[in-house]
Amino acid sequence: MIVQFLKHFLIVLVLIFFFMNLVSSGSSVGVNWGTMATQKLSPEKVVRMLKDNGFSKLKLFEPDEWILAALMGSHIEVMLAIPNYLLQLMSEDPKAAKSWVQTNVTDYLYTGGVNIKYVAVGNEPFLKAYNGSYLHLTLPALKNIQEALNSAGFGTRVKATVPFNADIYNSPDSNPVPSAGDFRPEVKDITLEIIQYLHTNEAPFTVNIYPFLSLYSNNYFPLDFAFFDGTNKPIRDGDRAYTNVFDANFDTLVSALDKGGFPDMKIIIGEVGWPTDGDKNANIANAKRFNQGMLQHALSGNGTPARKGTIDIYLFSLIDENAKSVEPGNFERHWGIFEYDGKPKYELDLSGSKRVIGLEPVDGVEYMLKRWCVLNPDVKDLDRLAENIDYACSLSDCTVLGYGCSCNGLSIEGNASYAFNMYYQVNDQNSWTCDFDGLALVTDRDPSVGDCQFPVMIAHGSSLMLQWGELKMGLRIFVGFVLFFFLL
């Protein structure tokens, strides 16, 4: 009797553990990891943080041997991208495509290696801003990469896809509803050719959708319609009702695919998220509201009005990138769920269950000394202050100083101190970077004011990683010589 009870008790425990692990793992949640930062966190520590938080999928914008090495044995599913600048080479030279697959896929795809599932060919190559630069390169590159994967024996395991921007489809102004959606006329034919190839290879259609940009680009856009808990009156499309712009955008794509003859095409959301600074609508409260709503919506299984089921998403992005281009807007450097140093910006339940859960930070981060570069309060001649601020900002990151941003309320002196400190920090606190024609000095008093934080950067940046890379290469050469002479 006791034995039977213990057996049932153990079965219940196993089922409870399995369920808890399933919920906490965020099994359907991916995240984009961009690395355009002046100082980078240790890949090993970031991967550990990904696992601690239950991220099961990861998208990389290009191969990085340090990150790929850190991912070995992690079981995290990886989408590995080929940058746009390589599309011409990949489209023209099948041997180059095979070489890329060998170096970045085959060398890592083994038991205990990296769980690579997708290769992303380019990133938003049909974006209007590119003026057709990659229009005729993308399909040949896609074919060459997929055929290289097939030749390597991974064709059924690893699929090539193309992450598109949502600007490749729309609804006409005369009938602005999702069911009227179709691909833009100037890219429609080539897009359908790509979709046909993806469909034949059982690969997904990948698209990046950004409700924030709808709000950013239109001052009259209804704020609540950008989120999932808004109270705006729904937009009617026949018997369908739309309460948020994500669903409307997604279903516009569904309609375009349906019109093209691909009603069952699998869709992956390659990027979706909300920035926390750099614009009046980019803040922590809005980012938490959007991302938590997105997770709950995507994982609920309710889907959109036109397509039911869970939605496969990769949040954008993991960590802030202070070296990204700000041409689209100052918010570009602030998409991270985590700060530059791996600290979470806000609570986020990756299971989509709306639990109050704090994310785990990157552990063991080391910082530079607690010192800052600020405007010398004793300086009287400020004639060259403006040009020195411009110089410091042009070579660092002052995107939080803009209208509606976290440091918008600083005085001109405060703006100078912030600019000087950012330049000083991104240059590893070298003494010669805190002068600015005698206007600046180094202090050990934190000049942060309220929500405006003057950061001290992390100590272990990319420069140290490069030094270790050179050392590792030297060790390989040394070991090679030793083996050569031993064999003689």
Side-chain angles (χ1 to χ4, degrees):
M1 191 74 175
I2 295 175
V3 173
Q4 194 72 13
F5 170 79
L6 286 175
K7 283 183 178 179
H8 282 92
F9 180 73
L10 286 172
I11 290 171
V12 170
L13 278 179
V14 169
L15 288 172
I16 291 172
F17 176 80
F18 174 77
F19 175 76
M20 291 177 65
N21 187 60
L22 183 65
V23 169
S24 65
S25 69
S27 58
S28 294
V29 178
V31 68
N32 288 267
W33 182 2
T35 56
M36 298 181 71
T38 53
Q39 284 99 345
K40 298 180 179 68
L41 291 162
S42 157
E44 291 81 7
K45 292 179 179 179
V46 175
V47 170
R48 193 179 311 129
M49 176 268 282
L50 288 169
K51 295 181 69 177
D52 288 345
N53 285 301
F55 284 105
S56 61
K57 298 182 297 185
L58 179 67
K59 183 161 159 275
L60 299 173
F61 290 95
E62 61 183 328
D64 182 304
E65 65 172 313
W66 296 99
I67 294 176
L68 290 172
L71 286 166
M72 287 182 180
S74 69
H75 304 295
I76 294 173
E77 182 185 294
V78 176
M79 180 186 290
L80 187 61
I82 298 172
N84 287 341
Y85 69 83
L86 287 177
L87 289 181
Q88 182 167 351
L89 177 62
M90 296 296 125
S91 68
E92 295 175 350
D93 189 352
K95 289 183 179 179
K98 286 186 177 181
S99 177
W100 191 94
V101 167
Q102 175 65 47
T103 301
N104 301 297
V105 179
T106 304
D107 287 356
Y108 293 96
L109 199 60
Y110 54 84
T111 303
V114 182
N115 181 21
I116 300 171
K117 185 167 184 180
Y118 298 109
V119 172
V121 181
N123 185 44
E124 303 183 334
F126 291 2
L127 191 69
K128 287 181 182 178
Y130 293 147
N131 296 315
S133 299
Y134 307 108
L135 205 59
H136 302 293
L137 302 177
T138 305
L139 180 55
L142 174 68
K143 288 181 176 180
N144 284 340
I145 289 295
Q146 186 63 63
E147 288 167 13
L149 290 167
N150 295 345
S151 297
F154 302 128
T156 58
R157 180 176 173 182
V158 183
K159 301 295 183 180
T161 184
V162 179
F164 287 102
N165 186 278
D167 74 351
I168 66 166
Y169 54 86
N170 55 34
S171 298
D173 293 337
S174 59
N175 189 23
V177 292
S179 62
D182 205 348
F183 295 108
R184 288 192 347 247
E186 64 269 30
V187 299
K188 182 174 181 177
D189 290 344
I190 187 63
T191 301
L192 289 174
E193 283 187 63
I194 289 173
I195 294 170
Q196 177 64 65
Y197 186 79
L198 293 173
H199 192 266
T200 300
N201 283 282
E202 299 181 338
F205 184 95
T206 305
V207 65
N208 303 335
I209 297 178
Y210 283 106
F212 169 80
L213 296 181
S214 299
L215 187 62
Y216 178 76
S217 61
N218 183 355
N219 288 328
Y220 300 100
F221 189 89
L223 177 65
D224 273 4
F225 200 58
F227 300 94
F228 297 92
D229 57 355
T231 57
N232 277 358
K233 183 179 178 181
I235 293 175
R236 304 297 306 187
D237 182 8
D239 60 352
R240 294 170 181 163
Y242 289 90
T243 58
N244 65 82
V245 70
F246 176 87
D247 282 358
N249 191 308
F250 188 97
D251 283 359
T252 303
L253 171 60
V254 171
S255 296
L257 290 168
D258 191 34
K259 288 181 178 69
F262 302 96
D264 60 343
M265 188 77 188
K266 179 181 178 181
I267 299 172
I268 288 178
I269 306 301
E271 298 176 23
V272 63
W274 199 281
T276 56
D277 216 330
D279 180 69
K280 63 181 180 180
N281 291 308
N283 54 60
I284 287 175
N286 280 348
K288 178 180 179 179
R289 179 185 178 189
F290 178 82
N291 282 333
Q292 192 61 74
M294 182 74 253
L295 288 167
Q296 183 186 0
H297 184 57
L299 302 179
S300 68
N302 294 329
T304 66
R307 183 178 285 196
K308 303 304 177 185
T310 56
I311 304 171
D312 201 353
I313 65 169
Y314 290 79
L315 293 174
F316 189 87
S317 67
L318 185 63
I319 300 169
D320 278 350
E321 300 173 82
N322 67 349
K324 280 192 76 176
S325 168
V326 294
E327 186 175 351
N330 287 341
F331 55 83
E332 278 296 324
R333 295 179 176 176
H334 303 280
W335 289 99
I337 300 168
F338 294 82
E339 300 278 5
Y340 70 97
D341 58 356
K343 289 180 181 175
K345 297 179 182 178
Y346 46 86
E347 294 174 336
L348 195 65
D349 180 6
L350 297 178
S351 74
S353 302
K354 292 198 300 184
R355 296 174 296 171
V356 180
I357 295 178
L359 294 170
E360 293 295 325
V362 174
D363 190 36
V365 176
E366 296 181 38
Y367 297 85
M368 289 186 273
L369 296 175
K370 287 189 175 181
R371 58 190 184 193
W372 298 261
C373 179
V374 298
L375 177 67
N376 186 340
D378 297 327
V379 171
K380 305 301 181 184
D381 183 3
L382 301 178
D383 288 346
R384 303 192 64 182
L385 183 62
E387 64 184 88
N388 275 284
I389 292 175
D390 289 343
Y391 175 80
C393 287
S394 69
L395 296 172
S396 62
D397 178 25
C398 298
T399 52
V400 300
L401 298 177
Y403 171 72
C405 302
S406 60
C407 295
N408 177 222
L410 296 178
S411 63
I412 184 64
E413 293 81 10
N415 284 341
S417 290
Y418 190 91
F420 293 168
N421 184 62
M422 287 307 302
Y423 182 82
Y424 177 64
Q425 299 295 337
V426 300
N427 285 287
D428 298 325
Q429 294 186 351
N430 286 314
S431 58
W432 58 267
T433 63
C434 186
D435 180 68
F436 298 102
D437 292 326
L439 294 170
L441 58 77
V442 175
T443 179
D444 59 2
R445 294 184 62 181
D446 187 350
S448 300
V449 181
D451 291 335
C452 179
Q453 298 298 305
F454 284 57
V456 170
M457 302 302 284
I458 58 178
H460 295 289
S462 57
S463 58
L464 290 178
M465 292 177 66
L466 287 172
Q467 291 171 16
W468 167 240
E470 292 167 358
L471 176 61
K472 190 174 79 166
M473 183 61 70
L475 286 171
R476 285 176 176 174
I477 294 171
F478 174 74
V479 170
F481 274 117
V482 170
L483 288 173
F484 175 77
F485 284 111
F486 179 76
L487 291 173
L488 286 178

